[in-house]
């Protein structure tokens, strides 16, 4: 509290702890892009030598200029606030697979991650440590340097904005949509005249897909304009619309997501209340006016039911989706960083809730009332300020912690049990016979070698490399030798590290050795005949090497872990003969095979080691077991099956690059607090939980979402406010300890109609989806599918029962807010997680992927986006808005054999080539002229023609939205790839007995009728 500074004033000079790294890369972004040609490195199997990062021979005329790609969206050259800009990956040049995601130059980052202004409340610019108790709740460890603004991450568009699924919420116009049936929004107003059962729905009338340009545009059914900027979403007067004769209606009239190309401007709070957020899948720009951005925290309902009974009656999920480090939109303001000096942030002394805009100051500001527990605490003397006539502090608008829903506090010593950990990366590479022969080893080495340039610079960044087959091999990275010195650990039942030092080294000192080693590894093992993998032993050994500091362990694995500690068996063989039984009992193969893995994972988490596993395989590897380690340590699994040395190296590289360059933190602890009366029931996601109140996250990044289910402890007052606060204590990659606080305050209600109006459909659905995914390994599949349908029926039934008055029985009522629930539910029942056929590992991967993804990614996973690409004509000026065309309904009716269609779900991208496609179009897009020439392994390229350029634009925009490179496959009718594509057409009936969309609506209707009677 020394130097008085106006609150809110950014510090002028970076404090002493200023990290040198930050200064350097000012131009690094563009440079990186220029130099990164490595995308194409797909080492040839024969040579086993990593090809130099040059583009492959097949590169078309357009040379790769910048890499770029997927993640979020900052297009260079566009007006981006200084704080956020550069980080974004760019649109890749044409077809070239590009890497995306580069660490932003220091200083370019949005706030918290480093670039934001640091504010010192109370005028203190001191960054001392010290003093005040704090306690994150008791589980804090480590410590950061004193507060300085670090550099850090990225800004960008949130992953997942599906341009295709936009505002359904609050769209009054629903009833004005063209076309007849659905007229009204009045519940029950449109009597059902036809009997059920006659499914004579006439698809033919609907705008069928044709190859002719323009004809493929889907009808904009419920097309209402997205909520306008700053506009409060209209309340829904008419609570529903009835669906007449679903089976008679042509497919044009069933509810579908409506694409919107415009960006919604959203203010989080207005007057005294929170504004209803735009749908999670829409494209929006948030202005934090008191409540946190819905990107960071979003509730399943925007009004809180006063009692548990009310909640039960409406059949809704009650949970928060928390994505504490979510990528902001490039046009959003950075999160302010506030430094309270040695005293640390102000907190309630009873519940430890952090100061936020909803705490009330009384008694001339000498006291404040906690909005979580109601405790009246005294305001520290130096923090007092006069109150205005409205009872608010006069300085409230100048202090981010009093006027912003999300702020980041510089953590004091109290929040550290040791110095904040350095950035430590350990790469572990499978060199068993299979890995080497399939090109996986070479691809991993090439990818690592290329991303080293993207690791945070600075003296604290460390790196280690080991390889494994049936033994584990460490390397002395320090000694100057002609050849790297290999140190073998033969005992894979009781591993150890062969050297105490020099196995993990300072990156800046040993860069050359590391690069040399990575180049040699594929050759060194080219004749390796060892087929076994001591995967678990290798991970344990690598863990021992970085245990003292903690860090990221990135593992490249190609075969089933078959020897050493926790050896697994190919148990899928027994499962294969057991598929039908799988319908009647839980599929044990979806459960981890050995609990020892969990014990190991907890040990890793306790030492702040976060594990990511890149599975590049041709066979079953038991993901259900392997996943336990990343799932407990804040990591994730990447899955390349069957691994292709032609098309996958590029994706592997891009995935790895995004993994290390996305905004992230280490050694984190997260807790959610709620106002009295509501309590956290459970946390779901990738973390380690050792005490009931907090989750430990050895690693946390912008893509990870944690679901927090809630419950009532007591009754809430009608009209009162209920607040939720997520506190994430973490260390930045540059070693600063920070506390990111997001606070959301919502009104409480006793009115069921209000509750139905305030449903956040996507969040509700994703909440159910995550719970279902959790249960799949322990519940018979058939039962699971029925359960999913019942969840949907119960919600619609509750609405019918409690929110509608006199009604005729023959109507299916789809309330506005739940209109898309049937379609989402249908998509879920046909998804990889719930369909009866399919590989065990695919399903395990799906289950585990669902557990940590964001709302937009979860929605597109069950309801993929399909667009026509044979007639792409992108009128929009580059860089302004999404260039992705409107999505088509997922119905074969919209797929013409004369057209080409792209379908993506955030993980896979399928491009279907109709059997009658014009050969000229084929040549322009893919370089071959007949469908028969369609290759099995595909790398998208850009040719010198407008159509090809447009396709590349679209693909890159999709990558950026999804923050994923996606695995692309060309599909054609004649073979399995075509069947795969067809299996994603959710609205069609399928051969496995899955109903069509209209059949499903009929089924729902009958079930609801049965419950009423
Ligand atoms: Zn309190």
């Amino acid at each position: 509290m020394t130097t008085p500074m106006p609150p809110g004033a950014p510090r002028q000079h970076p404090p002493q702890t200023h990290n040198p790294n930050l200064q350097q890369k000012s131009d690094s972004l563009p440079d990186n892009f220029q130099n990164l040609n490595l995308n194409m490195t797909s080492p040839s199997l024969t040579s086993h030598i990593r090809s130099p990062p040059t583009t492959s021979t097949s590169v078309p005329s357009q040379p790769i200029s910048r890499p770029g790609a997927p993640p979020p969206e900052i297009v260079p050259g566009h007006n981006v606030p200084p704080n956020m800009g550069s980080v974004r990956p760019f649109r890749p040049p044409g077809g070239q697979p590009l890497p995306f995601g580069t660490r932003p130059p220091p200083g370019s980052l949005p706030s918290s991650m480093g670039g934001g202004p640091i504010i010192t409340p109370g005028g203190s610019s001191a960054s001392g440590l010290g003093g005040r108790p704090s306690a994150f709740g008791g589980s804090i460890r480590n410590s950061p340097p004193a507060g300085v603004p670090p550099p850090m991450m990225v800004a960008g568009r949130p992953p997942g904005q599906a341009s295709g699924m936009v505002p359904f919420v609050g769209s009054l116009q629903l009833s004005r949509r063209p076309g007849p049936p659905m007229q009204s929004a009045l519940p029950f107003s449109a009597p059902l005249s036809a009997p059920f059962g006659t499914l004579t729905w006439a698809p033919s009338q609907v705008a069928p897909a044709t190859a002719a340009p323009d004809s493929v545009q889907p009808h904009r059914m419920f097309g209402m304009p997205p909520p306008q900027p700053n506009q409060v979403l209209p309340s829904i007067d008419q609570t529903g619309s009835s669906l007449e004769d679903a089976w008679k209606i042509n497919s044009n009239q069933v509810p579908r997501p409506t694409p919107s190309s415009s960006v919604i401007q959203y203010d989080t709070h207005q007057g005294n209340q929170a504004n209803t957020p735009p749908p999670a899948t829409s494209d929006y720009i948030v202005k934090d006016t008191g409540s946190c951005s819905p990107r960071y925290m979003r509730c399943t309902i925007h009004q809180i039911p006063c009692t548990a009974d009310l909640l039960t009656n409406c059949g809704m999920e009650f949970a928060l989706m928390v994505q504490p480090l979510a990528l902001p939109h490039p046009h959003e303001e950075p999160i302010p960083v506030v430094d309270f000096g040695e005293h640390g942030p102000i907190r309630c002394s009873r519940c430890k809730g952090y100061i936020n805009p909803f705490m009330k100051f009384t008694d001339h500001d000498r006291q404040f009332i906690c909005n979580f527990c109601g405790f009246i605490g005294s305001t520290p003397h130096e923090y007092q300020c006069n109150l205005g006539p409205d009872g608010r502090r006069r300085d409230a608008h100048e202090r981010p912690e009093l006027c912003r829903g999300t702020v980041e506090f510089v953590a004091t010593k109290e929040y550290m049990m040791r110095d904040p950990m350095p950035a430590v990366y350990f790469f572990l590479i499978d060199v068993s016979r299979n890995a080497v022969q399939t090109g996986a080893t070479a691809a991993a080495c090439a990818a690592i070698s290329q991303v080293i340039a993207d690791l945070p610079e600075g003296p604290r960044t460390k790196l280690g490399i080991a390889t494994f087959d049936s033994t584990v091999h460490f390397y002395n990275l320090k000694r100057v030798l002609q050849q790297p010195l290999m140190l073998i650990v033969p005992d894979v039942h009781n591993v150890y590290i062969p050297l105490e030092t020099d196995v993990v080294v300072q990156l800046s000192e040993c860069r050359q050795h590391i690069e040399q080693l990575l180049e040699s590894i594929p050759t060194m093992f080219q004749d390796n005949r060892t087929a076994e993998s001591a995967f678990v032993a290798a991970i344990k050994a690598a863990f021992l090497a970085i245990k003292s500091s903690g860090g990221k362990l990135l593992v490249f694995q190609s075969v089933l872990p078959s020897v050493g500690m926790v050896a697994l068996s190919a148990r899928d063989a027994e499962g294969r003969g057991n598929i039908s039984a799988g319908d009647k009992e839980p599929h044990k193969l979806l459960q981890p095979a050995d609990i020892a893995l969990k014990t190991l994972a907890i040990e890793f988490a306790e030492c702040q080691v976060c594990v990511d596993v890149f599975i590049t395989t041709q066979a079953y590897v038991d993901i259900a077991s392997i996943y336990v380690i990343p799932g407990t340590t804040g990591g994730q699994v990447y899955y390349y099956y069957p691994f292709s040395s032609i098309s996958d190296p590029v994706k592997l590289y891009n995935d790895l690059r995004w993994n290390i360059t996305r905004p992230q933190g280490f050694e984190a602890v997260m807790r959610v607090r709620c106002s009295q009366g509501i309590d956290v029931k459970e946390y779901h996601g990738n973390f380690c939980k050792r005490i009931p109140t907090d989750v430990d996250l050895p690693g946390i990044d912008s893509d990870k979402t944690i679901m927090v289910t809630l419950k009532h402890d007591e009754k809430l007052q009608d009209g009162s406010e209920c607040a939720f606060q997520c506190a994430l204590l973490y260390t930045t990659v540059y070693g600063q300890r920070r506390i990111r606080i997001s606070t959301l305050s919502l009104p409480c209600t006793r009115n069921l109609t209000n509750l139905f109006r305030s449903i956040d459909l996507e969040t509700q659905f994703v909440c159910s989806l995550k719970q279902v995914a959790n249960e799949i390994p322990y519940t018979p599949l058939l039962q699971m599918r029925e359960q999913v349908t019942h969840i949907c029926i119960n919600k619609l039934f509750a609405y019918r029962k409690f929110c509608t008055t006199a009604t005729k029985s023959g109507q299916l009522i789809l309330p506005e807010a739940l209109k898309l629930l049937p379609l989402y539910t249908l998509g879920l029942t046909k998804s990889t997680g719930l369909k009866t056929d399919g590989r065990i590992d695919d399903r395990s991967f799906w289950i585990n992927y669902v557990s940590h993804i964001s709302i937009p990614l979860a929605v597109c996973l069950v309801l993929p986006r399909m667009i026509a690409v044979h007639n792409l004509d992108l009128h929009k000026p580059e860089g302004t808005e999404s260039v992705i065309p409107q999505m088509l309904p997922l119905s074969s009716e919209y797929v013409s054999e004369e057209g080409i269609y792209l379908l993506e779900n955030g993980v896979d991208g399928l491009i279907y080539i109709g059997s009658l496609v014009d050969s000229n179009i084929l040549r322009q897009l893919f370089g071959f002229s007949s469908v028969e020439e369609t290759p099995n392994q595909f790398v998208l390229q850009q040719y010198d023609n407008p159509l090809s350029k447009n396709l590349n634009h679209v693909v890159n925009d999709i990558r950026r939205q999804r923050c994923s490179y996606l695995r692309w496959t060309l599909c054609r009718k004649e073979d399995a790839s075509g069947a795969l594509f067809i299996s994603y057409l959710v609205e069609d009936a399928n051969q496995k007995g899955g109903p069509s969309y209209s059949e499903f609506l009929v089924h729902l209707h009958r079930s609801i009728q049965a419950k009423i009677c």
Side-chain angles (χ1 to χ4, degrees), residues 348-353 359 370-375:
C348 167
S349 47
R350 185 201 278 165
C351 73
K352 300 292 179 193
M359 287 197 170
C370 173
N371 56 329
F372 300 106
C373 70
F375 183 75

Side-chain angles (χ1 to χ4, degrees), residues 627 844-853 857 861 905-907:
Y627 185 78
S844 289
F845 174 73
W846 185 94
I847 291 168
N848 296 311
Y849 174 72
V850 166
S851 71
H852 63 79
I853 54 174
L857 283 180
L861 186 65
N905 63 3
V907 180

Side-chain angles (χ1 to χ4, degrees), residues 5 30 183 383 508 584 602 783 815 884:
M5 282 182 83
Q183 38 258 85
Y383 194 69
S508 53
K584 301 184 190 84
I602 293 172
Q783 186 183 327
I884 304 169

Side-chain angles (χ1 to χ4, degrees), residues 11 15-19 22 118 126-130 141-151 337 339 341-342 409-422 460 667 729-739:
R11 287 183 177 189
Q16 324 81 314
T17 47
H18 176 69
N19 190 325
L22 312 189
I118 287 216
S127 52
L129 330 161
R141 353 183 149 78
N142 342 309
S143 49
V148 181
V337 178
D339 186 353
E342 63 183 14
F409 295 117
V410 171
T412 63
K413 270 278 193 228
E414 299 300 319
Y415 295 85
M416 322 176 185
M417 285 169 57
R418 59 173 185 180
D419 284 343
M421 63 184 265
R460 300 185 83 218
E667 51 182 358
L729 172 65
Y730 72 103
T731 298
T732 70
V733 295
Y734 291 101
Q736 288 91 11
R737 196 83 172 137
R738 294 289 177 76
I739 310 156

